[in-house]
Amino acid sequence: MTAQPFDLAEADRRHVWHPYTQHGIAGDPIAIARASGAYLYDTNGRAIFDAISSWWVTLHGHAQPEIADAIAEQARTLEQVIFAGFTHEPGVRLAAELARRAPAGLQRVFYSDNGSTAVEVAVKIALQYWQNRGERRRLVVALENAYHGDTFGAMSVSARGLFTDPFADHLFEVARLPDPVEHDVVAALERLIAERAGEIAAVIVEPMVLAAGGMRMWPAQALAGLRELTAAHGILLIADEVLTGFGRTGPLFACEHAGISPDLMCLSKGITGGFVPFGATLATEQLFAAFRSEDRKRTLFHGHSYAGNPIACAAALASLALFGDRCAERRCTIERAHLRAASRLAALPNVSGARVLGTILAFELGAPDRGYLSGVGPALRTFALDRGILLRPLGDTVYLLPPYCATEDDLARAYDAIAEFTEAL
Ligand SMILES: *Cc1c(COP(=O)(O)O)cnc(C)c1O
C-alpha cells in the first residue's frame, strides 16, 4: 500500500482550532512552509512580507541564524530542567543580562511562558507584596483601552469589551483611568488617590503605546507623571512591555522615553527574537525582599512547568547579543521610512491619525470608531495579501510593525499597497 499524500488543508479544517478565528467565516488559512528574514514562504513558494512580525514577536528576522544555532546547541546540551531547586547557566546569564539592560532597579527576574503569564505574575507579586507587608491594599488600577493578555487576571486588567464579555462576571474589579491619549491620566489618578489612596496596590500600564487597543500612542510626560505620583504614594507601577520591549518603540524599553523605572516590568513576545514562547517579569529588590523570609507563607507560590526553559533562555541571550549598532541603525531606518510614509498617508482622503513611534506606524482608515469588527480591516488584509504583504488591522486601525531586517524597499511596497487600497475606497 502506498501512503496517502498528506492533505494539509483538509486536516487543518478537521482538527485545528485557530486563535482569534471565527471558523464559520474564515477561509482556509495560508500554509507557511518556511520563513527567512522579513519573509514568509507559503507551500506554493509564494513570498509574503511579514509587516506585523507574525503577531508582534519576530524581532531581528525570521530564522535568524545566530538564534537558530543557539537553540540547536542548547537543545543538544540541556533542553529542560526543573527551575525550583535547580538552576542553569543560560537562565542565570539571561537574568543578569536583563537586569543590566532594564531600567535601573529591576534586579530580580521571574520566568514564565508568555505575555499573559508575565502579567499574571506581576499582578500576583504586587498583591502578595502588600499582603506580606500586612497592609490591606487590594485595588489594581488599569487604563481604559488597555490590553494585557487573555488569561483571567490579564483579562481583568484589560479593557472590558468584545474579547472579555463572555467572562465579565468572572473577572476581578479594577479601577479605571481614562485613555491617556485623550485625557489627563495623571489628574485622574490624583483624584482616585484622593478617594482611595490606602487601597491601591498597583497601577498597570502599557508604556507609550496601548497596542491591541489600537496602537494608541500616549505621551512620555504622562508616563513620567504616573511614575511620580505612584512613587509619592508608595503605589507599585507595573510596566507591561510585552509588546514595547526590545526596541519596538526605539529605545530597548519604552519606559526609557520617560526616563522612568517601574517596580515591575513584564516581557515576552520579542524576548527570544520571536523563536520560542517565553516570558519574564522583572521586579525590584524591595519587592523581592518582602517575599524573602523564614515564613513559608510569604513564598510566591507560582511557577510554570517550563519556567526558565534553557532553550528559550539561550534564544533570548542570542537575540540580546544582536542588539548592537547595526540593530539600532536598522530601527532608525525603519522609523525614518515610517515618518516619511506617515506624512504621505496623512494626505490621503480616508486616512486619519497617522502616527509613528520607533518601528511602529499606525493610522485609522475611513470613518473613525467603528471598532474591532469593522469590515475595512479584513478588506485591506485581503488586498495586501494578494500583493504578498501580511497586514492585520485592528478594526479600522492599520499598523506596520516589521521585523528589524525589513528594508526600505519592503516597507515601500507595503506603503504603496496601503495607499492604493485607500485611494480606491
Ligand atoms: C500580546 C500582549 C500581551 C499578551 O501576551 P501573550 O503572549 O499573547 O499572552 C500582554 N500585554 C501586551 C501589552 C501585549 O501586547
Side-chain angles (χ1 to χ4, degrees):
M1 258 182 83
T2 54
Q4 292 287 315
F6 179 60
D7 187 339
L8 190 153
E10 170 57 21
D12 187 288
R13 253 177 258 133
R14 194 183 291 273
H15 295 296
V16 181
W17 192 333
H18 287 275
Y20 277 91
T21 299
Q22 178 42 269
H23 285 267
I25 305 172
D28 281 342
I30 298 163
I32 298 300
R34 63 185 191 86
S36 173
Y39 284 82
L40 308 168
Y41 297 90
D42 74 8
T43 45
N44 299 316
R46 188 170 72 117
I48 300 169
F49 171 48
D50 187 355
I52 61 159
S53 296
S54 279
W55 250 349
W56 317 352
V57 299
T58 308
L59 205 62
H60 309 286
H62 286 280
Q64 182 80 26
E66 293 89 337
I67 302 175
D69 290 347
I71 287 174
E73 194 182 325
Q74 188 59 50
R76 288 196 203 91
T77 310
L78 172 67
E79 87 300 346
Q80 166 69 357
V81 61
I82 177 173
F83 207 55
F86 291 82
T87 193
H88 51 74
E89 188 169 328
V92 178
R93 272 192 192 281
L94 178 60
E97 195 61 19
L98 289 172
R100 184 174 76 78
R101 298 191 188 226
L106 295 167
Q107 225 180 293
R108 288 282 163 183
V109 181
F110 189 98
Y111 294 126
S112 62
D113 325 284
N114 61 66
S116 302
T117 54
V119 168
E120 297 285 341
V121 169
V123 171
K124 285 177 74 170
I125 290 177
L127 291 173
Q128 194 180 336
Y129 168 76
W130 292 111
Q131 170 112 348
N132 284 1
R133 288 178 44 131
E135 286 186 50
R136 236 200 111 61
R137 293 207 192 201
R138 311 307 297 157
L139 184 64
V140 179
V141 180
L143 298 183
E144 212 57 76
N145 288 325
Y147 176 80
H148 296 290
D150 289 344
T151 52
F152 274 84
M155 275 197 291
S156 296
V157 288
S158 297
R160 304 299 159 91
L162 180 68
F163 301 169
T164 59
D165 275 349
F167 321 103
D169 50 0
H170 288 73
L171 303 179
F172 65 75
E173 264 190 53
V174 302
R176 286 282 163 206
L177 297 179
D179 186 317
V181 178
E182 282 157 11
H183 301 271
D184 184 344
V185 75
V186 181
L189 180 61
E190 235 165 353
R191 285 194 296 276
L192 185 69
I193 288 173
E195 289 165 27
R196 314 181 64 173
E199 293 171 62
I200 303 174
V203 176
I204 182 167
V205 299
E206 291 162 90
M208 302 303 294
V209 193
L210 308 177
M215 293 298 165
R216 301 175 64 78
M217 297 166 188
W218 57 289
Q221 209 185 340
L223 179 57
L226 289 181
R227 172 68 288 189
E228 207 177 311
L229 201 50
T230 48
H233 291 84
I235 297 166
L236 302 174
L237 180 66
I238 305 172
D240 177 355
E241 293 239 16
V242 167
L243 165 71
T244 54
F246 305 101
R248 290 285 182 199
T249 71
L252 195 59
F253 300 107
C255 282
E256 294 172 36
H257 286 284
I260 63 145
S261 287
D263 300 285
L264 289 152
M265 188 161 91
C266 311
L267 301 174
S268 184
K269 292 205 164 116
I271 190 169
T272 61
F275 274 63
V276 285
F278 199 52
T281 304
L282 275 56
T284 61
E285 202 57 19
Q286 183 196 343
L287 286 170
F288 181 74
F291 288 75
R292 181 179 204 136
S293 162
E294 286 177 4
D295 177 359
R296 283 168 186 270
K297 286 203 295 292
R298 288 182 169 221
T299 308
L300 179 62
F301 289 110
H302 189 109
H304 297 281
S305 312
Y306 282 98
N309 174 256
I311 296 173
C313 292
L317 281 166
S319 175
L320 277 174
L322 293 169
F323 272 90
D325 292 344
R326 186 161 155 68
C327 179
E329 264 167 46
R330 285 174 150 182
R331 285 171 6 243
C332 279
T333 302
I334 293 171
E335 179 164 13
R336 280 195 301 269
H338 278 350
L339 286 167
R340 286 192 301 271
S343 42
R344 174 182 160 204
L345 290 167
L348 296 174
N350 295 300
V351 170
S352 60
R355 54 199 180 274
V356 174
L357 186 68
T359 67
I360 310 171
L361 162 71
F363 62 90
E364 275 69 44
L365 201 50
D369 292 332
R370 283 184 303 182
Y372 185 82
L373 297 180
S374 153
V376 69
L380 171 59
R381 181 174 186 272
T382 306
F383 182 90
L385 259 183
D386 288 344
R387 285 152 186 79
I389 299 156
L390 171 56
L391 296 177
R392 192 183 158 92
L394 295 154
D396 298 341
T397 303
V398 180
Y399 66 90
L400 264 70
L401 195 157
Y404 302 155
C405 66
T407 65
E408 285 175 279
D409 283 352
D410 296 333
L411 295 168
R413 283 206 312 117
Y415 305 143
D416 288 347
I418 290 168
E420 197 190 329
F421 176 85
T422 312
E423 279 163 345
L425 262 186

